[in-house]
Amino acid sequence: EAGVAQSPRYKIIEKRQSVAFWCNPISGHATLYWYQQILGQGPKLLIQFQNNGVVDDSQLPKDRFSAERLKGVDSTLKIQPAKLEDSAVYLCASSPGRRPIISMGYTFGSGTRLTVV
Amino acid sequence: KNQVEQSPQSLIILEGKNCTLQCNYTVSPFSNLRWYKQDTGRGPVSLTIMTFSENTKSNGRYTATLDADTKQSSLHITASQLSDSASYICVVSDGGGNKLTFGTGTQLKVEL
């Protein structure tokens, strides 16, 4: 079974530029999550999708961050404009159902490391 | 507020030695607790998952324990190897299973 695919692996941009990350979850997984992991901290949930609908985006900085999962499969996360404090690893995860920790299929991708200079 | 605290923050041990990582949580109601291993530059990989009724779970050289009464968990690594060098993250799910609370992780380094 293929894992959660993310691209790019690394990205360096200047502040005020825009950037987009892509995630392809495990086939058949209905739930997709985007996390932000700042160095030395645990992942912080940015947004959770159930199929193509948003379940939780309470911690998404909506003035600069946006995400979509139009067809309920792959997803993109965009930052525009980027700030220095956005430097982090952006992790995508997916699970078959809406209850992630109960599902043994809850899987993280390798992440995209973003550096804003 | 749901919180997960891990200790120590970082740890250096010699290859072949054992070590124990701690996790205390205040998530309520409790559903499940999972330990993840995160190699540098990679996504977290699940090691063990325990529900309320389980007090120990093993995965090779990794053994996790759970005391739901004191809200504590530990991850014991036996006969450490260089490849065990990573961040170990404790994650607790609430009763509804919809909210995950992550610890900040313990950074383990295994040296020769």
Side-chain angles (χ1 to χ4, degrees), chain A residues 9 35 37 40-43 48 56 58 91 98-104 106 108-110 113, chain B residues 31-32 34 36 38 40-44 49 89 91 93 95-100 102-104:
Chain A
R9 288 283 285 121
Y35 289 89
Q37 187 176 23
Q41 299 181 18
Q48 177 182 341
D56 183 357
S58 58
L91 295 165
R98 186 171 174 174
R99 295 189 172 190
I101 207 69
I102 297 175
S103 165
M104 294 300 292
Y106 191 82
F108 283 93
S110 294
R113 182 177 296 276
Chain B
S31 177
N32 295 273
R34 182 174 290 194
Y36 282 92
Q38 186 174 22
T40 300
R42 311 295 295 182
I49 178 171
I89 304 174
V91 183
S93 173
N98 296 325
K99 290 288 186 182
L100 302 183
F102 288 81
T104 55

Side-chain angles (χ1 to χ4, degrees), chain B residues 43-111:
Chain B
V45 174
S46 179
L47 295 175
T48 63
I49 178 171
M50 289 179 291
T51 60
F52 182 87
S53 59
E54 298 174 296
N55 55 22
T56 187
K57 184 72 70 77
S58 292
N59 178 1
R61 294 180 296 102
Y62 302 101
T63 299
T65 64
L66 173 65
D67 185 335
D69 291 331
T70 61
K71 299 185 177 181
Q72 296 180 327
S73 176
S74 65
L75 180 69
H76 186 73
I77 304 174
T78 304
S80 62
Q81 300 176 359
L82 296 178
S83 59
D84 293 331
S85 296
S87 177
Y88 291 83
I89 304 174
C90 177
V91 183
V92 181
S93 173
D94 70 2
N98 296 325
K99 290 288 186 182
L100 302 183
T101 303
F102 288 81
T104 55
T106 291
Q107 188 67 42
L108 174 66
K109 185 175 182 181
V110 181
E111 296 181 336

Side-chain angles (χ1 to χ4, degrees), chain A residues 34-46:
Chain A
W34 282 102
Y35 289 89
Q36 179 193 59
Q37 187 176 23
I38 294 173
L39 185 65
Q41 299 181 18
K44 181 185 83 171
L45 178 68
L46 292 175

Side-chain angles (χ1 to χ4, degrees), chain B residues 6-32:
Chain B
Q6 293 187 241
S7 61
Q9 186 175 3
S10 63
L11 181 63
I12 301 175
I13 62 173
L14 295 177
E15 185 181 29
K17 298 296 185 181
N18 304 335
C19 68
T20 300
L21 314 180
Q22 300 291 342
C23 172
N24 297 335
Y25 62 91
T26 59
V27 176
S28 182
F30 171 85
S31 177
N32 295 273

